[in-house]
Amino acid sequence: MSEPFESGLTRSPYDRELLDNAHPVDWNPPRPADRYHLVVVGGGTAGLVTAAGAAGLGARVALVERGLLGGDCLNVGCVPSKALLRAARAWSDARTAAERFGGPAAAGSGDFGAAMERMRRLRAGISHHDSAARFRDLGVDVFLGEGRFVASDALEVDGARLRFRRAVVATGARASAPPVPGLDAVGYLTNETLFGLTALPPRLAILGGGPIGCEMAQAFARFGSQVHLIEALDRILPIEEEDAAAIVHRALEADGVRILCCGEDARVGTTADGAKRITLASHGRAYDLTADALLVAAGRKPNVEGLGLEAAGVEFDEHGVTVDDRLRTSNSRIFAVGDVASRFKFTHMADALARIAIQNALFFGRKRASDLVVPWCTYTSPEIAHVGLYPREAAERGVAIDTHQVDLSGVDRAILDGETDGFLRVHVKKGSDRILGATAVAAHAGDLIGEVTLAVTRKIGLGAVASSIHPYPTQAEAFKKVGDAYRRTRLTPSAEKLFDLFFRIFR
């Protein structure tokens, strides 16, 4: 493919459908308005939500995108990766059905190409929601090309000058590569090219033990690849609580992933037959690995180059565009949202920040990004989901906490589903039921964390959560069990004496 944004696409008719929606080659841009209420640069989640929301309120809006509308999430992130994870989980369930549930035995290597084609079909179908035609029909002027600020209140794209009252930078981020000697010379995959694969690599090495690295390591191991997962730090998923990450570590190893933590002195080269060769040291031992493909999943880099931010007086650095708590840049006319300006690089956070930007940019709002309660999830099997403070963060802030936990081995639905390796852990302010944070490790932890996120957002105490009726049997019943655990701590010795006296009197 000739265009950079097509590097991860194939000749599949579904990828052609995706391209027709996300960047139609015959797109005719409109004649620019004299002045826009809002110009949005970047057509990923943050930009699309901003543009659609503002246009829906009656504002004159222009949307500029140089690559594929839908951004990372639709094209090379959440959508294709979760389709791949679901297929890999189905393959794993089929293989273990006989042993775990008395089901029929399954054998064979499966059809990786069919799983990838399913992903492309589903992605193409979803792409209609983010298409240029849909946004045109919403009243947005869509410009497909390189946008560049040329003044504090103007941007140019393909020779057209777009003047604005306000602008929003929503250009997102891209995969970054660690400074590993030889890496650039051998060629490697990132999330931007991984989903263009049509054949399963027999051997896959992955640099980076964060969420993307862990998710893809497990998926490709379940598909049948021999996977090496290399992490420079002392454990995978280093942001998460250690025992939570340890459960995922065990699950990955059970699926055949070989994990090398504390990876040092890594170097990359090629073998005589053109394979990738990775040498490194881990825990004092030297390793010499060979792989057919190498995936780099070691961080993200904000897209700030080539935007003319200097001409607009917008400050930025290696971490992205600098914004205040109301998402304003150093140019009061221009705001920035999503991965290019936030440390929380999640689709749902980009959506939430876009809604703040609309209010603050167009209606003199004073909404603050710091008021948002942000959950996140790593979609391995089991998943890890978290919201609020970790214990280490509470300690750094001098906040004393009590922790209440229920293991899934004590939740009936988890037992029946054969998914007992996990827990729900809730941290509350010491001596109260005010929820400060929670971690869930479960098959569908991302779905479970929503309830506690609502509780934190609306300041609903753990006692109130316990008083809510939860359907039985569900894994969400773990929340009620945690609430009951909290309530039992309220039964102090003094209270026990009063109850004892009461029942002795009224026997």
Side-chain angles (χ1 to χ4, degrees):
M1 298 283 185
S2 60
E3 294 294 329
F5 54 83
E6 296 185 65
S7 61
L9 301 184
T10 68
R11 296 184 182 276
S12 163
Y14 300 120
D15 278 355
R16 176 52 54 186
E17 179 184 354
L18 172 71
L19 193 60
D20 288 344
N21 285 319
H23 198 110
V25 295
D26 58 351
W27 184 254
N28 291 316
R31 180 178 179 179
D34 292 337
R35 191 182 190 214
Y36 289 96
H37 292 107
L38 190 67
V39 170
V40 181
V41 188
T45 298
L48 295 179
V49 172
T50 303
L57 294 170
R60 287 192 306 276
V61 181
L63 173 65
V64 181
E65 171 56 54
R66 66 183 180 184
L68 296 176
L69 289 167
D72 267 22
C73 181
L74 170 67
N75 299 293
V76 295
C78 310
V79 169
S81 68
K82 301 315 169 274
L84 216 59
L85 290 173
R86 182 62 186 92
R89 187 166 75 248
W91 288 30
S92 176
D93 287 344
R95 290 194 189 100
T96 60
E99 177 184 348
R100 298 177 64 199
F101 302 110
S109 58
D111 189 338
F112 177 77
M116 294 296 282
E117 193 71 348
R118 172 186 179 270
M119 175 273 290
R120 295 184 184 104
R121 173 174 56 82
L122 297 177
R123 179 175 62 180
I126 293 173
S127 70
H128 292 269
H129 300 295
D130 297 344
S131 68
R134 176 174 179 263
F135 275 78
R136 176 197 59 204
D137 294 343
L138 290 174
V140 177
D141 285 356
V142 179
F143 297 86
L144 300 179
E146 295 274 355
R148 184 179 182 87
F149 289 99
V150 293
S152 63
D153 65 345
L155 176 140
E156 286 189 356
V157 52
D158 290 341
R161 190 178 184 93
L162 311 181
R163 295 182 61 246
F164 56 80
R165 178 175 170 271
R166 295 286 186 270
V168 170
V169 178
T171 49
R174 63 188 185 276
S176 62
V180 174
L183 186 60
D184 289 336
V186 303
Y188 55 88
L189 298 166
T190 69
N191 71 297
E192 296 170 5
T193 53
L194 176 69
F195 303 109
L197 291 177
T198 56
L200 180 71
R203 300 166 297 180
L204 175 65
I206 301 177
L207 298 182
I212 295 174
C214 288
E215 289 175 2
M216 292 300 102
Q218 188 175 47
F220 276 80
R222 287 176 162 183
F223 283 134
S225 292
Q226 181 187 91
V227 179
H228 286 90
L229 179 61
I230 302 164
E231 168 56 49
L233 299 180
D234 62 350
R235 61 184 177 90
I236 62 171
L237 301 174
I239 293 177
E240 304 297 343
E241 295 183 61
E242 188 169 355
D243 56 349
I247 293 175
V248 174
H249 186 117
R250 292 196 299 270
L252 265 60
E253 288 188 327
D255 280 317
V257 178
R258 187 180 187 186
I259 301 173
L260 299 174
C261 291
C262 296
E264 299 177 334
D265 302 323
R267 292 179 176 274
V268 179
T270 55
T271 63
D273 60 358
K276 320 291 183 185
R277 181 184 181 190
I278 306 99
T279 60
L280 72 150
S282 176
H283 298 286
R285 179 180 171 185
Y287 291 87
D288 192 337
L289 313 175
T290 304
D292 303 288
L294 174 62
L295 171 63
V296 173
R300 308 284 291 163
K301 183 177 181 180
N303 293 323
V304 293
E305 301 87 353
L307 296 175
L309 295 175
E310 301 89 344
V314 174
E315 295 180 0
F316 64 95
D317 58 23
E318 70 274 14
H319 302 295
V321 175
T322 304
V323 295
D324 64 14
D325 203 16
R326 296 191 177 93
L327 306 179
R328 295 173 301 191
T329 70
S330 51
N331 178 340
S332 61
R333 294 176 180 269
I334 301 175
F335 291 67
V337 296
D339 290 4
V340 75
S342 174
R343 68 186 181 93
F344 296 108
K345 301 191 187 309
F346 311 121
T347 296
H348 49 278
M349 186 57 167
D351 182 301
L353 292 174
R355 295 168 193 270
I356 289 178
I358 293 171
Q359 297 176 65
N360 291 354
L362 297 180
F363 301 106
F364 309 102
R366 300 181 66 80
K367 295 287 186 179
R368 294 179 179 273
S370 60
D371 290 336
L372 296 174
V373 176
V374 189
W376 56 85
C377 183
T378 298
Y379 296 92
T380 47
S381 296
E383 299 173 354
I384 294 183
H386 179 81
V387 68
L389 295 180
Y390 290 103
R392 63 179 181 272
E393 293 175 321
E396 290 168 359
R397 300 183 188 186
V399 178
I401 63 173
D402 291 321
T403 298
H404 306 285
Q405 177 173 320
V406 168
D407 293 332
L408 291 189
S409 58
V411 177
D412 290 356
R413 180 59 183 271
I415 295 170
L416 300 172
D417 288 345
E419 297 168 347
T420 56
D421 198 4
F423 58 78
L424 173 65
R425 176 180 296 156
V426 179
H427 308 296
V428 298
K429 187 174 182 180
K430 192 171 185 63
S432 77
D433 72 340
R434 179 188 169 195
I435 302 173
L436 299 179
T439 293
V441 184
H444 300 286
D447 294 319
L448 295 179
I449 207 67
E451 182 172 350
V452 71
T453 302
L454 175 63
V456 175
T457 302
R458 296 301 180 187
K459 297 180 172 55
I460 301 169
L462 189 53
V465 172
S467 68
S468 300
I469 298 175
H470 291 70
Y472 176 89
T474 60
Q475 292 193 22
E477 196 186 12
F479 285 108
K480 184 175 181 63
K481 289 180 175 291
V482 168
D484 289 341
Y486 159 75
R487 283 181 163 179
R488 287 192 292 272
T489 67
R490 311 302 292 169
L491 191 60
T492 62
S494 296
E496 288 181 339
K497 289 179 181 179
L498 287 175
F499 282 126
D500 180 65
L501 177 61
F502 176 85
F503 287 115
R504 280 194 286 113
I505 292 174
F506 295 98
R507 59 185 173 180

